[in-house]
Structure formats: structure tokens, C-alpha cells
Amino acid sequence: MNDLERLEKYFDRVAEGFDAIYSGRKPFTSRMWDRLTRRSLHERLDFCIETLSPLSGTRVLDVGCGSGRGSVALAEYGASVVGIDVSSRMLEMARTLARERNVDERCTFQQIDVLGMDGAQRFDHAVATGFWDYVLDPLPVMGALSAQVQNRLAASFPARSAFRVPFRALWLYARRCPVRFYSEAEINGLCRDSGFEVRMLRRSGPMYLLHAQRRR
């Protein structure tokens, strides 16, 4: 079993629990725990919307879209969104959410990896949050994104120096899920070597938030 297959299996298994962080369909104690430990999920979505606005009329690639919470939010702001993910269960949930929120005409979801895209599509912007955690060899992936995107990239990266890194790594390794963490220098290097210019890179709790511009 390769890393993509492990990711698909892992996220198919945890899809409902992951989406419940957004929906709040959890017991009270679990919701309180999420507020303490998962605030970054909401923060990075707000960051993407602020960074890429105005979104009306734009075409956005949502990489590692999961259950579609980010894709749907971007579509509600007027973007046409293609969400890609390796988990079929996550994508089922994303399609259902888009229909429930009446933005399914502006959302397309595909079970594919960035490296598997044919390069024929072009996007104004890309979003990649909660994605780089699971990319063990990020430079080819960042290069593939650079080939697809004409303007801006909004992304989050898990910080290597965050307090919870050892605990998270052990948790995911035990579940046969690959995971990777990043330094500020590594993120700058990835952008430089793949055709992106860093406009803003800042630390926020356990993650880095990146706004990058595709170099002409």
C-alpha cells in the first residue's frame, strides 16, 4: 500500500468525525475540546477568503478539499470551485454539502491527486489548507500547483516547532497515516523553487499561513 492509498483509507475512515468539527454534531465535551484544539481549522478558512477576495467570477482549485467546507464557502462568495481529494467518502460529503447550500452548480469535486491532473485546466487561485501535512515530498506537488495557478495561493502548513507535533505524529503514525511538518525556511524554499513569490508568511499557533503570488 502506497502513501496515497494509506491517506485514502485513513480519511475515508475519519470523514464523519472530521466534518463534525465544522458541523458541531458532537457531544458537548467534544465540541468544547474542538474549540480549544481545532480553532486553526476555522482560522485558515477565514484567511483564505480574506486573502483571495474578491472571489466573484474567479476559478479556484481547492486542494485536499475534504468534506467540502472550504469549497462551499468559496462558492458562496462567488467563486467557481474545483475541489480535489483522495478520499471518496470525503467527496461524497462535499457533494451533499454543496447541494444543501445551493452552490452545487459552482462546485465540482474530483477524486484525484494534484500530480495526477492533466494540466489542461487553469485556475485563478488555489487553496491548500490541511493538505501539506500529508505530503511527504512537497516540491513536485508545489510545482504542479504552480503549473495550474495563474495568480494566488493561500495555504497552511503545520509548524515543526509546535508543541503538539510529537503527539500528533505518534497518533497518525499509529494509524498508518503519513505526516510531515515544516519550518519557515522550508516553506520559503518551496515557493522559491516552484515559481511562487511569498507575499506573506506568518506563524499562527500550530501552523504557518501563506499567501503567495505566481511569478510571471
Side-chain angles (χ1 to χ4, degrees):
M1 184 182 296
N2 61 34
D3 287 337
L4 284 179
E5 291 169 337
R6 290 189 185 95
L7 280 175
E8 179 182 1
K9 185 175 181 179
Y10 174 75
F11 280 105
D12 281 350
R13 188 169 65 249
V14 303
E16 280 78 9
F18 180 85
D19 186 69
I21 298 170
Y22 293 95
S23 69
R25 293 191 294 267
K26 283 186 172 186
F28 175 78
T29 54
S30 297
R31 294 199 306 271
M32 293 302 101
W33 178 252
D34 285 343
R35 288 185 184 181
L36 288 172
T37 63
R38 300 297 187 100
R39 288 179 295 179
S40 59
L41 272 69
H42 300 281
E43 181 182 358
R44 68 196 191 194
L45 176 56
D46 293 341
F47 170 78
C48 291
I49 291 170
E50 292 172 7
T51 297
L52 302 182
S53 292
L55 283 159
S56 182
T58 62
R59 183 170 166 81
V60 180
L61 176 64
D62 186 3
V63 184
C65 65
S67 59
R69 295 287 170 172
S71 297
V72 166
L74 294 165
E76 288 176 333
Y77 277 85
S80 175
V81 184
V82 174
I84 64 173
D85 204 281
V86 297
S87 167
S88 58
R89 180 62 187 127
M90 285 285 197
L91 292 171
E92 289 174 12
M93 297 173 70
R95 294 184 185 104
T96 298
L97 180 66
R99 287 193 297 271
E100 291 174 349
R101 302 279 276 270
N102 297 313
V103 293
D104 49 310
E105 292 185 356
R106 292 201 295 275
C107 290
T108 301
F109 297 101
Q110 302 175 3
Q111 187 177 10
I112 194 170
D113 175 55
V114 178
L115 295 175
M117 299 184 74
D118 59 16
Q121 301 186 71
R122 290 292 183 272
F123 300 90
D124 296 296
H125 312 304
V127 168
T129 62
F131 167 75
W132 297 103
D133 318 42
Y134 312 105
V135 180
L136 298 184
D137 188 11
L139 184 56
V141 178
M142 186 70 91
L145 267 184
S146 179
Q148 303 277 345
V149 175
Q150 298 181 27
N151 293 311
R152 286 176 281 170
L153 167 66
S156 68
F157 294 80
R160 180 174 297 156
S161 58
F163 172 77
R164 65 187 187 186
V165 162
F167 308 102
R168 187 174 180 222
L170 286 171
W171 172 269
L172 291 171
Y173 288 151
R175 286 153 182 80
R176 299 181 61 80
C177 178
V179 65
R180 192 183 195 283
F181 304 95
Y182 297 79
S183 68
E184 184 174 347
E186 286 176 308
I187 300 168
N188 276 301
L190 280 173
C191 291
R192 181 189 63 245
D193 295 341
S194 59
F196 283 105
E197 178 184 348
V198 175
R199 291 296 183 87
M200 190 277 291
L201 177 61
R202 65 177 172 86
R203 176 78 178 266
S204 180
M207 65 182 173
Y208 289 103
L209 293 172
L210 169 71
H211 170 206
Q213 176 76 41
R214 179 70 170 85
R215 285 200 297 269
R216 304 297 182 184

